[in-house]
Amino acid sequence: MQTVMLFDYLKTISKKKLSYVLAAAALCIAGILFWKAHSQPAATVETIPLVRTAVVGAAGGLKNYTYAGEVRGRYESQLAFQVTGKIIKRNVQLGSVVNAGDVLLQIDPKDLQQTVNSSSAQVHSAESQLKLAESNLQRYRQLFAQSAISRAQLDQYENAYEVAQAAVQQSSAQYGQSSNQLDYSLLYADKSGVISSISAEAGQVVSAGQTILTIVQSGEREVEISVPENRIEELRKAAQLTISFWALPDVKITGKVREIAPMAAPTTRTYQVRIGLLNPPPEIKLGMTAAVTVSSAGDQNTNLISIPLSAIYQTNDTPGVWVVTDNTAHLRPVQIGGLGNNLVQVSGLRPGEIMVTAGVHKLREGQKVRVSEGDRQ
């Protein structure tokens, strides 16, 4: 009965509408077939990655740390005037070699000379008063011996003589002080050396105690470096200190720690360390850039090997290293030792093995890899 009704319905619709219905049905069937064809997973082609590797070195080596520094003098004197005045003469330049006793700078001595003249006049005046007091004392002693004056009057003249004596001593001391001040108008070199810095020029007014220049005394040379607090003990126990110089690539000398600052610098929070140079050649000049390599004995465990920090692959709480065998990556668990200079000491590797040093987080166990010929060497 339903088939007859559907047949009657199709008779009632026009041929044009029927063609639309058939076209829509055909499109639906084609879409379903296309979706089924493309929903199937495509065959994947595995690419073998090229990895950066390194050969595991020998165990039980030394840990090296390098610090940049500057060549300095063992003794440096900062000189200053002991009086205030205007600089009228400068006899040295930056880098001048001076001897002990050389006059380096001079300030205007006119006011100081006037002070000396005034003190000298006071000395003469006090000496004249002393002579007068001495003459009066002699006369009144004679009068007292003749009972012409009382004892109280004689005591007054004896006291006046003592006051005059004290006045002479005071004026003489002031004269000596003013003479010293006049001599302080000249700045002398206290030791032989080289002028390393000058902070004043002729015509400048300077105050007493203001640092004018610095003399690096002739003799020992050192390298000053800055060391973080976690490396101080390693520096104290260093097995060897090797100093190289940027301007002298062929020169390498040994050194020893002479001084470690008791407090860290407030800005850098590092400790200033002075490294004494043993038998430095004359080519080493003040201010040269130096590199201090600190070689400290490694851990007593001879199984520890230093590898790049980038080779460590951490899974949960277990560190590991990807070892390449027959172009296949295998994760090897290791134990971590000391750290430093982007190196880490580990145990669990054998010298000569090939380890992956870059891209360790993109590998998986048993994955095929390619190793360049340069990394194999």
Side-chain angles (χ1 to χ4, degrees):
M1 183 66 180
Q2 293 179 353
T3 303
V4 175
M5 293 176 63
L6 177 61
F7 183 75
D8 294 338
Y9 172 74
L10 291 176
K11 285 183 178 182
T12 58
I13 62 176
S14 63
K15 293 181 179 181
K16 186 176 182 179
K17 291 183 178 180
L18 180 60
S19 63
Y20 288 158
V21 173
L22 294 175
L27 288 175
C28 292
I29 295 172
I32 293 173
L33 294 176
F34 180 81
W35 177 80
K36 288 184 177 181
H38 288 275
S39 62
Q40 299 296 328
T44 58
V45 178
E46 182 179 4
T47 59
I48 302 177
L50 178 65
V51 295
R52 180 176 297 176
T53 61
V55 179
V56 178
L62 296 179
K63 295 188 295 183
N64 296 330
Y65 304 94
T66 302
Y67 303 96
E70 179 185 359
V71 178
R72 306 288 294 271
R74 170 69 173 83
Y75 300 100
E76 299 180 358
S77 301
Q78 295 183 343
L79 304 184
F81 284 105
Q82 294 180 253
V83 293
T84 300
K86 179 180 180 181
I87 299 176
I88 60 173
K89 186 182 294 185
R90 196 185 81 179
N91 300 326
V92 293
Q93 304 295 330
L94 194 64
S96 298
V97 178
V98 298
N99 298 317
D102 290 348
V103 177
L104 308 179
L105 292 95
Q106 180 182 3
I107 63 175
D108 192 350
K110 290 186 295 185
D111 293 339
L112 299 174
Q113 184 63 57
Q114 293 300 325
T115 303
V116 172
N117 296 338
S118 176
S119 300
S120 177
Q122 291 177 0
V123 171
H124 290 299
S125 175
E127 290 176 346
S128 298
Q129 293 296 327
L130 178 61
K131 290 180 180 180
L132 177 60
E134 185 179 6
S135 300
N136 291 334
L137 180 59
Q138 291 178 357
R139 286 194 297 267
Y140 278 89
R141 280 178 177 174
Q142 294 176 358
L143 293 174
F144 178 75
Q146 299 172 3
S147 299
I149 61 173
S150 63
R151 181 63 191 182
Q153 289 178 309
L154 180 61
D155 290 343
Q156 291 178 357
Y157 283 95
E158 288 179 348
N159 183 65
Y161 176 75
E162 293 176 355
V163 170
Q165 281 184 322
V168 171
Q169 294 177 356
Q170 181 181 7
S171 60
S172 298
Q174 291 178 348
Y175 175 75
Q177 183 180 11
S178 61
S179 298
N180 292 338
Q181 297 288 321
L182 180 61
D183 188 59
Y184 294 155
S185 63
L186 300 175
L187 185 61
Y188 297 94
D190 56 348
K191 300 290 184 180
S192 299
V194 180
I195 305 297
S196 63
S197 67
I198 300 176
S199 57
E201 298 291 340
Q204 181 177 343
V205 177
V206 295
S207 59
Q210 177 182 344
T211 300
I212 303 301
L213 51 79
T214 302
I215 294 181
V216 178
Q217 299 181 21
S218 303
E220 300 179 38
R221 294 290 181 262
E222 297 180 338
V223 173
E224 184 179 77
I225 60 176
S226 298
V227 180
E229 58 187 51
N230 62 329
R231 299 294 181 203
I232 292 296
E233 289 303 319
E234 293 181 359
L235 185 65
R236 295 183 192 273
K237 302 175 182 178
Q240 183 179 0
L241 297 178
T242 304
I243 297 95
S244 58
F245 303 90
W246 181 74
L248 304 171
D250 297 331
V251 176
K252 288 187 177 181
I253 60 177
T254 58
K256 63 178 181 179
V257 177
R258 185 189 66 82
E259 179 184 76
I260 299 177
M263 295 183 61
T267 54
T268 61
R269 305 308 305 167
T270 56
Y271 289 80
Q272 301 297 318
V273 179
R274 287 294 187 103
I275 307 297
L277 305 182
L278 303 180
N279 301 320
E283 295 83 3
I284 298 177
K285 305 298 181 183
L286 295 171
M288 278 187 171
T289 301
V292 179
T293 301
V294 180
S295 300
S296 58
D299 196 286
Q300 297 299 324
N301 186 357
T302 58
N303 294 325
L304 291 178
I305 297 176
S306 295
I307 65 173
L309 188 60
S310 59
I312 298 297
Y313 177 68
Q314 185 84 14
T315 57
N316 297 326
D317 295 332
T318 304
V321 174
W322 290 104
V323 178
V324 178
T325 304
D326 296 332
N327 292 330
T328 304
H330 300 283
L331 186 61
R332 179 83 58 80
V334 295
Q335 293 181 351
I336 300 296
L339 299 173
N341 276 11
N342 292 325
L343 296 177
V344 57
Q345 289 187 319
V346 300
S347 61
L349 298 177
R350 295 186 296 273
E353 290 184 315
I354 299 176
M355 60 181 173
V356 179
T357 59
V360 296
H361 297 283
K362 298 181 180 180
L363 299 178
R364 65 179 184 274
E365 178 65 29
Q367 183 178 3
K368 291 291 184 179
V369 296
R370 291 182 298 135
V371 180
S372 63
E373 293 298 327
D375 291 338
R376 291 180 182 272
Q377 298 176 355

